[in-house]
Every structure is written in C-alpha cells, then in structure tokens.
Amino acid sequence: GAGVSQSPSNKVTEKGKDVELRCDPISGHTALYWYRQSLGQGLEFLIYFQGNSAPDKSGLPSDRFSAERTGGSVSTLTIQRTQQEDSAVYLCASSLVGTRGGQNNEQFFGPGTRLTVL
Amino acid sequence: AQSVAQPEDQVNVAEGNPLTVKCTYSVSGNPYLFWYVQYPNRGLQFLLKYITGDNLVKGSYGFEAEFNKSQTSFHLKKPSALVSDSALYFCAVRDKAGGANNLFFGTGTRLTVIP
C-alpha cells in the first residue's frame, strides 16, 4: 500500500527565499509529524498535528517556520526567508492514534526532503 | 523531560557476529520505546517497539531488543549480522503518561557490518 510521500525530494534555494515542503500521510492516519534531521544530529521534532486539535508547535525553531494541514490530510511546511542553517533533511511521519492508554504511536516516515540553502 | 542517549556514534561488527546497538532513555513515567533504521537515501523504517509485556521484543529483519527498566536501557541486538544491516539506527522514546505525542530520538548510531 501507499506509504507517506513527500515532495520535492530535493530542494536547492537561495538564502532569503521562501520554500514549501509537502507531505502526504498514509490514508486514515490522523496524526502527522514534521521532523528535521541535520548533518551529524538526530531527529529534531518540529510540529505535530492530531485531527482537528490545535497543532503542537513546540518544536518550531523560529517564527520563520510554519505548517498547516488541510482537510486533515496533506500538510505543508513553510520556511520563510531561509537561512543556511535551515539546510537539512525534513522528514514527515504519520500514525494512527489510539485511545488514551492504548496508544502505541508507531510512526511511518516519508523519504524526506533534502533542503539546501545556498 | 524525555531524552534518549545512544552512546556510540559508530559500531563496527564482522559479518556473522552478533551485534548490539546501545540505547538508554529518560522519562518521568513508563516509556514507549522504538527502534528505527535509516538506509542510505531512504526514509526511516520502523524496526520494533516496546509497549508493555515481555521485555524481549522481536522485530523486523531478525532484530530484537530488550527492555531493562532498572538500567533504563533498550539495546538493539541481532545474533548474526549481515552486510545489508549496515545503516543508521535511531532509538526513540515517548512517555506514556505525557501529553506530547511526538517521539524523542537519539542522535543515531551508524552500524557498519564488515564482510
């Protein structure tokens, strides 16, 4: 079956430009996550969407970063006025979220978008 | 606060030998624990998880991990390594009692299996 898909797979941009990264989660998954993987570092949580609830934005590194999820499905991560330190692989994941106490939170990851800011 | 430590950036093992990739965690309550693998130019793939029950968890590709509550560890193991196991391995944790649903990942361990 179809997994999580992300586009573009690679994005090269100039410093100061805005970029949009897209994520298509697995159909039926109510939870969607964005992470950032920088060279030599682990995965850094950015933002989490669950159903119609307000997103958890606690991981966004600055106000240049924003994300939305339309219709409970596709999500777009936007980085405004990109900086060189934004260069990283941006990973999207989705999961089913069960009832409280029964959540196992197995996340399925997309292939990522490699962003390079020149 | 939740955190994960993978003390080894790199693990080298000969093909056919047993392998261990170490992970320790810190949560305020009881943990959900996960291992993911990332092959070159690929996304993360789920390997296995510990939710409750048996401390020894078996997962994909012959991997297993043992939850040790007293040592707060969740080391990944495989009895006989394959060259194709060479990849980047991430341990992750979530606090069962916490309100956050995101996972906290370690910095990853690069496993190289030498033919």
Side-chain angles (χ1 to χ4, degrees):
Chain A
V4 177
S5 61
Q6 292 185 245
S7 61
S9 56
N10 281 282
K11 177 71 176 178
V12 180
T13 190
E14 294 179 349
K15 178 181 174 180
K17 296 286 181 66
D18 298 351
V19 295
E20 285 189 352
L21 312 180
R22 177 187 168 104
C23 172
D24 282 89
I26 292 173
S27 178
H29 280 192
T30 57
L32 186 147
Y33 313 77
W34 283 99
Y35 294 88
R36 178 168 69 176
Q37 184 178 19
S38 302
L39 187 63
Q41 299 186 28
L43 276 73
E44 175 188 5
F45 165 72
L46 297 177
I47 188 169
Y48 160 69
F49 295 90
Q50 169 52 37
N52 295 321
S53 303
D56 176 356
K57 304 179 182 180
S58 60
L60 294 179
S62 78
D63 59 7
R64 296 186 295 104
F65 287 72
S66 64
E68 62 178 22
R69 189 178 185 191
T70 55
S73 181
V74 173
S75 177
T76 302
L77 176 70
T78 301
I79 309 173
Q80 296 177 308
R81 305 181 303 281
T82 53
Q83 304 295 313
Q84 288 183 333
E85 59 264 28
D86 299 335
S87 297
V89 176
Y90 289 82
L91 294 168
C92 175
S94 69
S95 72
L96 290 168
V97 179
T99 57
R100 182 173 291 278
Q103 298 183 35
N104 60 41
N105 214 34
E106 177 182 331
Q107 296 180 20
F108 296 84
F109 283 79
T113 294
R114 181 175 297 279
L115 174 66
T116 303
V117 182
L118 301 177
Chain B
Q2 304 170 58
S3 66
V4 174
Q6 292 181 244
E8 302 158 317
D9 292 335
Q10 174 81 41
V11 170
N12 297 325
V13 63
E15 185 178 23
N17 282 3
L19 70 86
T20 299
V21 183
K22 296 180 181 177
C23 171
T24 59
Y25 66 90
S26 175
V27 296
S28 56
N30 292 314
Y32 291 124
L33 292 157
F34 303 80
W35 275 100
Y36 284 84
V37 59
Q38 187 176 35
Y39 296 102
N41 301 313
R42 303 271 297 276
L44 272 76
Q45 295 180 31
F46 170 78
L47 269 183
L48 51 79
K49 64 187 177 188
Y50 170 80
I51 303 300
T52 187
D54 288 341
N55 290 341
L56 184 64
V57 178
K58 294 187 184 295
S60 306
Y61 312 120
F63 284 92
E64 59 187 30
E66 185 167 11
F67 170 61
N68 188 316
K69 188 171 183 178
S70 63
Q71 297 185 4
T72 62
S73 68
F74 191 57
H75 301 330
L76 181 70
K77 300 182 179 184
K78 186 173 181 180
S80 178
L82 301 174
V83 173
S84 57
D85 293 330
S86 298
L88 188 58
Y89 291 80
F90 289 95
C91 181
V93 68
R94 174 179 170 260
D95 189 341
K96 286 183 184 178
N101 284 279
N102 57 287
L103 296 176
F104 288 82
F105 284 84
T107 51
T109 298
R110 185 167 298 282
L111 173 68
T112 301
V113 181
I114 303 165

